[in-house]
């Protein structure tokens, strides 16, 4: 009996330190944000006495914030889609390419992670600005008469976010492709399947976990990105993350900022759950 009890307590003892850290640094802060979102706004203070649901009423009653949520989701979805289209071929070459090419590609993929996000975003302002390198080059070649609007819009934000978060799409997909035995594809080809059919019916379903993980990572990071949208979008394009920081730091409205942060978190979580269920159902049907 004692041995059985000790055996049953073993996993709990191993999980306990991680559970304590998770509760202190994740669950408690989220509970604090939930409570703060129901506090009254203060006059010269972060929050006032009492509780209210006015912060959420203000959010749903103002179409400006609903449009901002939709714009943030659109930027996140577009960034994720472009990262998937660009990252999958790179991940395939990393997983199935030669050793010499693989070492070079690894360095190119991981190189953006070696530079701070502020420096990377500032570099894109130098490239995309009206007097930036791209517009000056095109103007000097006589291809355009006036600068292209590459900054202070959603296009510039998406371009910069794709560069920042592309490694987070490539690495999970690469791990998924490496887990697929190449002999399965060869067996399908020997049975008469074309290269595309073997890829669609064999390789792609088995790569589902990597694709799903990469898409979720990039989408969540794009929704919560602050530095890149604030530098590239400026005052013309504001995402929800920028508005949350403005409410918490600039205007010192902690209850309102907490409510905005929770709405962003809930919206992103719902999108992730819907994506996970839809992709899982779709790829189950695709299996032979």
């Amino acid at each position: 009996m004692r041995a059985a009890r000790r055996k049953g307590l073993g996993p709990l003892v191993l999980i306990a330190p991680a559970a304590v850290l998770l509760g202190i640094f994740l669950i408690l802060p989220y509970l604090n944000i939930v409570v703060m979102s129901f506090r009254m706004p203060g006059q010269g203070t972060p929050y006032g006495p009492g509780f209210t649901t006015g912060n959420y009423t203000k959010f749903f009653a103002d179409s400006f914030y609903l449009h901002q949520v939709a714009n943030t989701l659109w930027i996140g979805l577009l960034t994720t889609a472009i990262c998937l289209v660009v990252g999958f071929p790179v991940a395939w070459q990393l997983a199935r390419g030669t050793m010499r090419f693989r070492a070079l590609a690894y360095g190119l993929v991981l190189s953006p992670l070696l530079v701070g996000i502020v420096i990377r975003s500032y570099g894109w302002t130098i490239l995309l600005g009206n007097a930036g390198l791209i517009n000056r080059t095109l103007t000097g070649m006589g291809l355009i008469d006036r600068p292209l609007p590459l900054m202070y819009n959603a296009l510039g934000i998406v371009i910069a976010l794709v560069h920042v978060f592309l490694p987070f799409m490539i690495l999970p997909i690469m791990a998924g492709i490496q887990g697929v035995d190449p002999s399965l594809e060869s067996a399908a080809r020997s049975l008469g399947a074309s290269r595309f059919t073997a890829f669609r019916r064999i390789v792609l379903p088995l790569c589902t976990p990597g694709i799903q993980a990469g898409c979720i990572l990039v989408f969540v990071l794009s929704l919560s990105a602050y530095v890149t949208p604030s530098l590239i979008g400026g005052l013309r394009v504001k995402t929800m993350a920028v508005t949350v920081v403005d409410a918490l730091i600039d205007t010192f409205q902690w209850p309102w900022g907490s409510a905005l942060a929770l709405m962003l978190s809930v919206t992103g979580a719902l999108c992730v759950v819907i994506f996970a269920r839809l992709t899982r159902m779709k790829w189950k049907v695709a299996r032979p």
Side-chain angles (χ1 to χ4, degrees):
M1 292 292 293
R2 291 182 179 179
R5 289 179 181 177
R6 291 179 181 177
K7 187 177 180 180
L9 291 177
L12 296 179
V13 173
L14 295 176
I15 295 174
V20 171
L21 292 176
L22 188 64
I24 294 175
F25 295 106
L26 181 64
I27 297 177
L28 287 181
Y30 259 102
L31 292 177
N32 186 36
I33 292 175
V34 172
V35 174
M36 183 62 64
S37 67
F38 289 99
R39 299 301 296 263
M40 294 286 294
Q43 298 294 332
T45 59
Y47 57 90
F51 296 88
T52 180
T53 58
N55 297 314
Y56 294 99
T57 304
K58 176 183 177 181
F59 175 82
F60 288 106
D62 196 336
S63 60
F64 171 78
Y65 297 104
L66 298 178
H67 175 74
Q68 199 170 72
V69 171
N71 188 43
T72 304
L73 291 176
W74 168 246
I75 291 176
L77 290 172
L78 190 57
T79 301
T80 304
I82 295 176
C83 284
L84 178 60
V85 173
V86 176
F88 193 93
V90 178
W92 182 272
Q93 289 298 325
L94 284 174
R96 300 288 179 87
T98 61
M99 293 300 296
R100 181 180 301 177
F101 174 82
R102 190 180 304 172
L104 176 61
Y106 265 127
L108 294 176
V109 169
L110 297 178
S111 59
L113 301 178
L114 303 178
V115 183
I117 188 172
V118 176
I119 299 176
R120 281 180 282 172
S121 301
Y122 183 72
W124 279 108
T125 63
I126 298 175
L127 291 175
L128 301 178
N130 290 336
L133 180 62
I134 295 177
N135 278 315
R136 280 190 298 174
T137 301
L138 295 177
T139 303
M141 296 174 62
L143 299 178
I144 57 175
D145 297 329
R146 54 185 178 180
L148 298 175
L150 301 177
M151 268 191 66
Y152 307 119
N153 51 34
L155 174 62
I157 294 176
V158 170
I159 292 174
L161 288 179
V162 168
H163 170 250
V164 171
F165 297 136
L166 186 59
F168 296 97
M169 179 68 75
I170 294 175
L171 296 179
I173 295 178
M174 182 194 68
I177 296 174
Q178 287 177 338
V180 179
D181 191 349
S183 62
L184 297 176
E185 187 177 0
S186 300
R189 294 292 305 278
S190 65
L191 293 175
S194 63
R195 186 181 297 272
F196 175 75
T197 302
F199 172 79
R200 181 176 63 88
R201 301 297 297 272
I202 303 297
V203 178
L204 190 60
L206 294 176
C207 294
T208 299
I211 295 174
Q212 199 173 51
C215 290
I216 291 175
L217 272 175
V218 173
F219 179 73
V220 172
L221 291 173
S222 299
L223 291 187
S224 60
Y226 168 73
V227 175
T228 301
S230 62
L231 289 178
I232 305 298
L235 298 176
R236 296 183 182 179
V237 181
K238 276 195 172 185
T239 60
M240 281 293 294
V242 176
T243 303
V244 168
V245 175
D246 290 344
L248 293 174
I249 298 178
D250 294 342
T251 61
F252 215 49
Q253 299 178 1
W254 288 10
W256 174 234
S258 299
L260 291 176
L262 281 178
M263 288 294 97
L264 177 61
S265 299
V266 171
T267 304
L270 288 176
C271 292
V272 169
V273 171
I274 293 172
F275 167 78
R277 292 186 63 87
L278 289 178
T279 51
R280 186 162 54 245
M281 291 171 58
K282 179 179 180 180
W283 278 319
K284 277 185 178 180
V285 176
R287 291 179 182 176

